[in-house]
Amino acid sequence: MSTIGHRRYVALLLPFDENMKVDEGAFRRYVRYYADDARFAKEGGLCVNPEAGEIFYLSREEKRRVLEIAMEEAHGKLPIIAGTWALRTEEMVETARDAKALGVDGIFVTPPGGAQDVTSCWDADTYPEIWLDTVIAQDRAVDLPIITHPVSGSDFPFYPGLPVKAALHMCREVPNIVGWKMTYTYDGYRIVAKGLRSLNRPVAIMGALASRFHEYRATGMFDGTLSGFWTFAKEPMLDHLDAWDNRDLEGACRVWDSGLVNLHEYIADMGRLHIRYKTAAWLRGLIPSPFMRSPMPKPKGEEIDTIYNLLKALNLSVIDRSDLKRAA
């Protein structure tokens, strides 16, 4: 795979200690879980400070420190892109500059947060500049490859991503956009993917919702990933995608139907997605706690039990059942 977007990026989680401070030791171990896996490193990459890493609840200093740790543990082994989200455009630019100073391979940009005008009520096709202006400001400041995290209040079929008109407009306006995270339902994915293929330069189609990876691979509209599903199911996901790469359809179906699709479909509840990511990674023993910073809620006991059983059914290693009481 030749470009930065044509890789399998994991949207890294961020472990916290009992005081909800960044657990640096646990994060280092978690980064090494990917960096020291030669099979993953062959085509993998790290996205540091994504939504799954709770960037919305981190200070600028914390974002920089988390990125420093990831660079120390993994740069040179895996390409690293860094999230730049902040409440104000000026801080987005400064966060992007922090990332460039630390030597990242690219930045990961997210639409603004705050007032309804720029979030839930934003009409991206009519007013693409609401996000585009922040991306252009970061692009001018750092001149690095850009991967997008398109989210908006769009209607079906594009919910929760950006409509195809706005998406293609942004790609034409910012040549440094090299990858488009596909945050769409199946119908929206197909429409946007076809649009990206129509551009006069390559923009990687980067799968996000792993519960649909089987279908996406079958269509050929799949160049790489930027997905939080890697945070808990790395091994069977590698088996599945490697089988597709080897044109082993029977093998891909066997992995998919062995329990992987059942696990992914349960995790893929958009109203509980990031809670379930972190719960699953904790149950795998990859991070010491499933808890997220307020106002993100704690997992329900039913979620913990269901995810635990789905992981066991897939023959994945999990923590001892007696440890589940700590989060129930």
Side-chain angles (χ1 to χ4, degrees):
M1 295 185 174
S2 57
T3 69
I4 190 172
H6 289 68
R7 296 190 70 89
R8 300 168 180 173
Y9 288 89
V10 52
L12 284 178
L13 303 170
L14 184 60
F16 297 111
D17 63 20
E18 63 274 12
N19 298 313
M20 298 310 291
K21 303 294 184 183
V22 175
D23 188 332
E24 294 193 3
F27 185 62
R28 287 184 186 278
R29 292 189 294 274
Y30 182 56
V31 170
R32 290 197 293 267
Y33 169 68
Y34 298 95
D36 293 344
D37 184 337
R39 188 178 173 208
F40 179 80
K42 182 180 178 182
E43 295 184 2
L46 303 182
C47 180
V48 182
N49 293 328
E51 183 176 11
E54 301 179 61
I55 189 173
F56 304 136
Y57 312 116
L58 301 179
S59 68
R60 178 183 170 191
E61 292 73 22
E62 286 176 318
K63 295 175 211 173
R64 185 168 54 237
R65 180 57 185 152
V66 167
L67 183 56
E68 284 176 347
I69 293 170
M71 295 295 288
E72 290 169 5
E73 297 294 338
H75 203 225
K77 298 180 180 179
L78 293 167
I80 296 178
I81 61 172
T84 61
W85 184 90
L87 276 174
R88 298 175 64 246
T89 302
E90 291 82 359
E91 189 179 350
M92 292 183 200
V93 170
E94 292 306 311
T95 303
R97 285 178 172 147
D98 290 342
K100 182 171 184 176
L102 290 171
V104 298
D105 299 285
I107 58 173
F108 183 54
V109 297
T110 301
Q116 65 184 32
D117 311 57
V118 302
T119 56
S120 60
C121 298
W122 171 36
D123 179 350
D125 277 342
T126 306
Y127 308 107
E129 69 276 4
I130 284 175
W131 185 20
L132 179 58
D133 286 352
T134 72
V135 177
I136 289 173
Q138 294 173 74
D139 185 41
R140 289 174 176 170
V142 300
D143 189 25
L144 288 171
I146 295 170
I147 294 174
T148 66
H149 184 201
V151 287
S152 71
S154 303
D155 293 328
F156 181 85
F158 301 113
Y159 175 84
L162 210 66
V164 66
K165 178 181 175 183
L168 299 183
H169 176 70
M170 287 189 62
C171 290
R172 293 184 182 111
E173 291 294 312
V174 185
N176 267 340
I177 292 177
V178 299
W180 198 267
K181 181 177 177 179
M182 301 297 284
T183 55
Y184 302 94
T185 61
Y186 184 70
D187 290 336
Y189 187 111
R190 285 178 55 81
I191 295 168
V192 174
K194 289 180 179 180
L196 294 173
R197 288 283 193 256
S198 75
L199 294 169
N200 62 4
R201 65 181 183 85
V203 175
I205 298 167
M206 304 184 72
L209 196 65
S211 56
R212 289 290 191 179
F213 278 8
H214 199 59
E215 292 89 340
Y216 297 153
R217 285 306 305 261
T219 66
M221 297 291 187
F222 190 99
D223 299 322
T225 78
L226 206 162
S227 177
F229 289 78
W230 289 107
T231 60
F232 57 88
K234 178 184 67 172
E235 298 85 358
M237 288 174 68
L238 285 172
D239 291 341
H240 177 247
L241 293 181
D242 286 351
W244 271 108
D245 289 344
N246 294 327
R247 299 182 180 274
D248 178 9
L249 179 57
E250 182 178 343
C253 290
R254 183 169 55 251
V255 176
W256 192 244
D257 295 332
S258 68
L260 184 59
V261 64
N262 296 334
L263 173 64
H264 282 338
E265 285 181 344
Y266 183 77
I267 299 293
D269 178 330
M270 291 300 102
R272 304 290 291 181
L273 183 67
H274 298 95
I275 300 161
R276 292 182 181 184
Y277 282 167
K278 204 163 192 180
T279 300
W282 165 66
L283 291 171
R284 291 290 320 275
L286 301 175
I287 56 175
S289 166
F291 302 133
M292 306 180 78
R293 280 186 172 172
S294 175
M296 293 297 291
K298 295 179 179 179
K300 300 289 187 181
E302 179 184 353
E303 289 177 302
I304 294 170
D305 288 339
T306 300
I307 295 170
Y308 186 88
N309 290 331
L310 288 167
L311 292 168
K312 288 277 288 184
L314 196 51
N315 294 318
L316 290 172
S317 59
V318 292
I319 61 176
D320 189 85
R321 185 173 283 276
S322 62
D323 292 332
L324 305 190
K325 296 179 181 179
R326 292 192 294 113

